[in-house]
Amino acid sequence: MSPTNPYDVQAMLDSIPAGLGKLIPEGILILTFLVAIIFEIFPGRRFSKVLPFWAMTGLVGAAVVQFYLLVVGFPPQKIAMDMLWVDRMSGVVKLLVFVPAFISMATFHQSETKSVHTSDGKGTYFLLMIALAIGLSFLTMANHLMMVFLALEMASLPAYVLTAYSRENKKGTESGLKYVIFGCFSSGIMAYGISWIFGLAGSLDPTTADFAAQLQVHPIWMQGVAWLLVFVGLAFKVGLFPFHFWVPDVYEGAPFPVASFFSVGPKVAVFVVLLRLTACLHLGFSPGLESLLLAGFSAMALGSILLGNLSAMFQTNVRRMLAFSSIAHSGYLMVGICTFSVQGGASVLFYLTIYTLMTYGAFMASGWLEERKHSQTLDDLKGLSSRAPALAVIWIVLWVSLSGLPPTAGFIAKLEIFLAATQSYQGAGNLVLLVLLIAVVLNTVLALFYYLRPPAMMLFGQPKISSPIALHGFQGFVLVFLAVIVLILGIFAFDALSDFMLKVVDEFHSGVRF
Amino acid sequence: MTPWLTILLTLPAAGLLLTMLLPAGSNQLLKRVSLGTTLLQLLVGFGLLLPAYLQKLPDNQGFALHEKWQWIRLDMGTAGFLNIEYHLGLDGMGILMVLLTCMVMPLVVLSSWNNQHRNKLYFVLLQLLNLSILGCFMSLDFFLFYLFFEFMLLPMFFLIGLWGGEKREYAAIKFFLYTLFGSVFMLLVMAGLGFSFIDPDLTASLGRTVHTLDFLHMSGLADGTYPNLVAGSVFSHGYSLFGLDARALAFWVLLIGFAIKLPSVPFHTWLPDAHVQASTPISVILAALLLKVGGYGILRIAFGIFPEAALSSATWVAGLGMISILYGALVAMSQRDLKSLIAYSSVSHMGFVLLGLASFQAVGISGAVLQMFNHGVISSALFLLAGVLSDRTHDRTLSNYRGLWMKMPVYSAFVLVAFFASMGLPGLNGFVSEMMVFMGAFGSTEGYVSVFAAISVIGIVLAAVYYLRTFRQMFMGEFSYLGTGDSGSLQDLDGREKTLLVPLAVLMVLLGIFPSLATSLFDQSLSEYVSNLIQVAKP
């Protein structure tokens, strides 16, 4: 849908409404957000009661429409003056954002944590979550680097506030502040990188042949520095080594429905940006730049995997442990990115889906316990299997899946990345991939040290109190559902899911060709 | 055609479900249900599966009772498909191991009769383990095998960690990490194999390259070529990784993975810890069944897929075997705990398996397979016997006992038979398999295999030394007990214990006199398998 003459303003303006049909989910969210603001303005009790339901309905509506669009299918398309790229890849990831966001909202609404409720303006939480969802949603579609930056900021600002949401929680405030400072810093770096790129290429749309040709004229180191700055910004947002240090603090300090959403939604969306950029770079740029990036990416991957797993071993707090585990998982995902192939992209998308299921589940399971025991420490898991057998079983399934052992979906996700990397290695013979593979494999063993600890504590230890903890309500249902899905996808039907991801990524790749 | 193997696999699954449905407090009922399902498994194994196996002629590369269902077809983009099948089948080695599993499981349940706490969880885990061990011996698809192989770890981890001795958690985690270390590298080999072999029929019918992990498609022809090997793939001939031959590297990765499980020196250190800490029934499963998965894996997978790499590494494999035999025996001599003595003697006896496999002779490899079966029988008995003592006094220190024969004559007689069988006294089953291993190894022309075999003979002498010395110390002379336990509790075997030990003792004698009872099951199919391996390796 791109206008033939880049300076034809009329054609540009005309092209905008043509693409709006694909943006209905975002439209719904924006409408929800605006109406919710009006609700917030009126001080009446009635409005503050309606607001959560309004926000959740809006999100569900957006998710349903998005699901419909995904099922119906449509040719990938660039819209809004090539700023956005609507394709099924963004569709899949938007669902991975909307659904956890909805569950987090519902959990928050039901949450028994009194400390959160007493702080005034409960409605603000729902507003911020919607804003965050809008930002992430645009991020998944961003094609133009300016759009990437805008969407990232749109998502970051609500995230900063959400982290420090409960005022009584000192840790929350501290981690919120850390998050803001590091976040702004990394945004600045990224903006600087984008300006370099604009200076070098004269445009910010990496999918055009013109962009590639212009950029190629400049020396490799200049291109390298420019892209490095951009990727630093993105690496910060997904918590990749060496830009990971905010992750454990934020995951520990934020209210748990927020932390559990942070561990999945934003990460998933940013990884799609990484996928898009690397695909463009792979298809349109010099091999010199590619090997430079490969070196950087593999260093990040190795660092994240090692640091994540080694640090997680020494944690006594479940949330911090999950935070380091999520850093390690970012590293595994980077291995998929390092393949620069369609297959690798598909394996990353597959991994993201499974990652969302299991990490979100693990966070929720620990949140369920936290609310009832007011503690995040590992010691409090002792003897849980006799107090809460159902929760313990779910917990064990999810943690085994996180560690990547069969017969769980986590194992299949890892296997897909292995297969993609092996295929890539066999094609290009790049030794880096082989080294990465071996590192991942060794780390699986390392990671078992801490992934086994919570299940072992639950089964081996003796509980201090023996009152039973039952699973019930919406959260109970979600937890059971997640554990069952993780088990089923570990044995059956994952080929259908993985084939779908392959189609989706292939569609995207064939759209990028110059 | 009746799907016997699936039926056998559904029995532990049914037992599992039934156990889960029962209330947690009903201890007797839980035990009876588990005993019932494992006895049914024994019955089905010997009464239905075995006749079916004997009647049916092997139809594909010596395997019978095939069950093959389409399971997963992953689209790999430009590389085609990766096809994974639910493919079960048995050859001689497989049926022997499946029967061993069927036999040992009821004994394990019966020996758990005095288990005190958390019976429900215990029997759930036991059935899971049962299921995954059976699955391992039946799978003919690497992916399926790997699922079962890895899945064994978790139930075992909890079984050692929950019902063991004082340092059980340490032992459990050590067991887990050692075995996992071996198997994660195996996963890389599997990923490589996923692009290396094609399924010719499916490739023809689908019109796209269909890769497979089916063992049967990975075997080579007599002229040393592999009809289904994709040219230029990671495991095609001449491909190198880190400057090493990729096939040799993969062979060693697989070998080490399974050698950890076997276990072979120097990868054995998890075993004594696990055995000493685990409770009696868990030790029995560990020694009788889990270790066998290691030997089985080496022959079926490491040797089966990379025969020429195996042949050229025969000296090294035999060397590992020799070191295991001697080192295991020497360390066993200096043990003070009866269970760790038996554990190290296990290391020593599994060394014979490696030696037999390395011989690349039909008789040697048959000996190795028979040794696995025999060791399953003998070590079950030995660990049960050690359990009898620790049940009574909670004390297994050798030097605390004198003259047990006076106090417990029946018990002592069983110990004598098991010790003799284990040290390889003629007339008992251990002798036959060790003899066959040596016959094979002496006949080997590969490298130093025969030299190593000659040195390994010392191991038999050492075994006699530590067993006889232990027997003299604990059972002969006047009775006295020096430990802190209650010496009054040293009563002779009760009915349940006799029920456990009699079948094992009978098997030891029977297979010692009529080894053909076992060998006739696998002789033909195994010698075909081996001669095919040798032909592929040395075209």
Side-chain angles (χ1 to χ4, degrees), chain A residues 385 426 459 491 494-495 499, chain B residues 71-73 75 118 162 234:
Chain A
S385 63
Q426 202 173 287
L459 284 168
I491 306 174
F494 57 83
D495 47 344
D499 288 358
Chain B
W71 180 17
I72 288 153
R73 190 166 293 160
D75 196 333
R118 298 172 99 169
L162 270 171
V234 180

Side-chain angles (χ1 to χ4, degrees), chain B residues 13-336:
Chain B
L16 179 77
L17 283 179
L18 214 59
T19 313
M20 279 165 97
L21 291 175
L22 291 175
S26 55
N27 286 336
Q28 282 306 313
L29 197 59
L30 282 167
K31 285 168 188 167
R32 282 192 190 129
V33 164
S34 293
L35 186 63
T37 50
T38 46
L39 279 176
L40 191 65
Q41 187 180 325
L42 176 73
L43 222 63
V44 171
F46 278 88
L48 298 170
L49 180 73
L50 183 59
Y53 173 80
L54 292 175
Q55 272 171 19
K56 233 181 116 41
L57 287 174
D59 48 2
N60 194 348
Q61 296 185 24
F63 287 89
L65 301 172
H66 282 275
E67 286 168 40
K68 199 168 180 174
W69 299 97
Q70 178 58 41
W71 180 17
I72 288 153
R73 190 166 293 160
L74 275 178
D75 196 333
M76 313 294 299
T78 48
F81 288 110
L82 174 58
N83 199 53
I84 294 166
E85 280 162 337
Y86 174 79
H87 188 184
L88 303 179
L90 286 181
D91 64 350
M93 174 168 59
I95 184 117
L96 197 69
M97 292 298 126
V98 167
L99 291 179
L100 181 67
T101 313
C102 291
M103 231 164 54
V104 170
M105 281 320 289
L107 299 180
V108 168
V109 173
L110 198 60
S111 74
S112 315
W113 217 252
N114 293 333
N115 188 43
Q116 298 293 335
H117 61 289
R118 298 172 99 169
N119 275 308
K120 188 171 169 178
L121 182 61
Y122 180 85
F123 286 110
V124 165
L125 292 173
L126 214 57
Q127 295 284 17
L128 273 178
L129 196 58
N130 186 3
L131 177 75
S132 43
I133 293 171
L134 276 179
C136 255
F137 292 137
M138 293 173 181
S139 310
L140 290 185
D141 190 287
F142 202 163
F143 185 85
L144 188 62
F145 175 87
Y146 192 82
L147 281 194
F148 284 125
F149 185 74
E150 284 273 90
F151 193 61
M152 252 187 279
L153 299 183
L154 270 179
M156 200 60 192
F157 170 73
F158 289 120
L159 282 169
I160 297 174
L162 270 171
W163 288 273
E166 262 171 32
K167 280 166 67 188
R168 54 182 184 265
E169 287 168 37
Y170 165 78
I173 199 116
K174 195 169 174 183
F175 158 78
F176 201 116
L177 291 176
Y178 264 70
T179 333
L180 190 72
F181 181 80
S183 59
V184 286
F185 280 99
M186 222 179 276
L187 187 61
L188 282 188
V189 175
M190 190 167 92
L193 285 171
F195 295 101
S196 296
F197 289 93
I198 56 161
D199 186 323
D201 308 331
L202 279 174
T203 302
S205 69
L206 288 176
R208 270 179 77 183
T209 316
V210 181
H211 295 279
T212 182
L213 286 170
D214 194 320
F215 292 141
L216 300 189
H217 290 305
M218 295 184 188
S219 59
L221 297 176
D223 59 358
T225 58
Y226 294 82
N228 302 324
L229 189 58
V230 181
S233 61
V234 180
F235 295 129
S236 57
H237 295 278
Y239 202 95
S240 66
L241 296 171
F242 300 116
L244 300 165
D245 180 30
R247 289 180 66 87
L249 197 64
F251 168 75
W252 274 97
V253 165
L254 291 175
L255 183 78
I256 291 174
F258 290 120
I260 291 173
K261 197 104 185 167
L262 190 63
S264 151
V265 177
F267 315 108
H268 67 288
T269 52
W270 63 270
L271 184 82
D273 281 314
H275 268 313
V276 171
Q277 297 304 323
S279 62
T280 306
I282 306 310
S283 277
V284 172
I285 295 197
L286 189 60
L289 303 177
L290 247 64
L291 308 190
K292 305 304 170 290
V293 180
Y296 177 86
I298 291 177
L299 186 52
R300 170 83 73 237
I301 298 172
F303 277 50
I305 303 176
F306 304 106
E308 81 290 343
L311 187 67
S312 55
S313 316
T315 297
W316 294 96
V317 178
L320 275 182
M322 176 189 72
I323 294 170
S324 297
I325 294 170
L326 296 181
Y327 181 82
L330 282 171
V331 179
M333 281 171 77
S334 62
Q335 294 307 306
R336 282 188 282 177

Side-chain angles (χ1 to χ4, degrees), chain B residues 230-436:
Chain B
V230 181
S233 61
V234 180
F235 295 129
S236 57
H237 295 278
Y239 202 95
S240 66
L241 296 171
F242 300 116
L244 300 165
D245 180 30
R247 289 180 66 87
L249 197 64
F251 168 75
W252 274 97
V253 165
L254 291 175
L255 183 78
I256 291 174
F258 290 120
I260 291 173
K261 197 104 185 167
L262 190 63
S264 151
V265 177
F267 315 108
H268 67 288
T269 52
W270 63 270
L271 184 82
D273 281 314
H275 268 313
V276 171
Q277 297 304 323
S279 62
T280 306
I282 306 310
S283 277
V284 172
I285 295 197
L286 189 60
L289 303 177
L290 247 64
L291 308 190
K292 305 304 170 290
V293 180
Y296 177 86
I298 291 177
L299 186 52
R300 170 83 73 237
I301 298 172
F303 277 50
I305 303 176
F306 304 106
E308 81 290 343
L311 187 67
S312 55
S313 316
T315 297
W316 294 96
V317 178
L320 275 182
M322 176 189 72
I323 294 170
S324 297
I325 294 170
L326 296 181
Y327 181 82
L330 282 171
V331 179
M333 281 171 77
S334 62
Q335 294 307 306
R336 282 188 282 177
D337 182 307
L338 183 57
K339 239 182 162 181
S340 57
L341 180 136
I342 302 169
Y344 277 108
S345 91
S346 277
V347 174
S348 177
H349 286 109
M350 296 319 278
F352 287 104
V353 174
L354 276 182
L355 189 62
L357 293 178
S359 74
F360 264 90
Q361 304 277 326
V363 60
I365 293 186
S366 294
V369 172
L370 188 62
Q371 171 79 354
M372 294 203 292
F373 184 84
N374 285 341
H375 179 262
V377 173
I378 298 168
S379 65
S380 298
L382 286 172
F383 279 111
L384 287 171
L385 288 163
V388 166
L389 216 53
S390 53
D391 276 351
R392 285 172 176 52
T393 56
H394 306 285
D395 181 2
R396 293 186 306 257
T397 314
L398 303 176
S399 53
N400 282 349
Y401 296 93
R402 294 265 188 284
L404 274 177
W405 192 293
M406 313 290 284
K407 225 23 191 188
M408 306 164 76
V410 181
Y411 173 70
S412 309
F414 277 115
V415 172
L416 194 63
V417 173
F419 275 13
F420 280 162
S422 187
M423 75 174 88
L425 195 77
L428 294 167
N429 60 351
F431 169 74
V432 183
S433 45
E434 281 173 18
M435 191 67 204
M436 286 166 75

Side-chain angles (χ1 to χ4, degrees), chain A residues 498-514:
Chain A
S498 126
D499 288 358
F500 177 72
M501 297 304 182
L502 190 70
K503 268 197 207 104
V504 165
V505 176
D506 196 40
E507 232 170 58
F508 160 69
H509 265 249
S510 49
V512 188
R513 306 214 191 283
F514 297 96

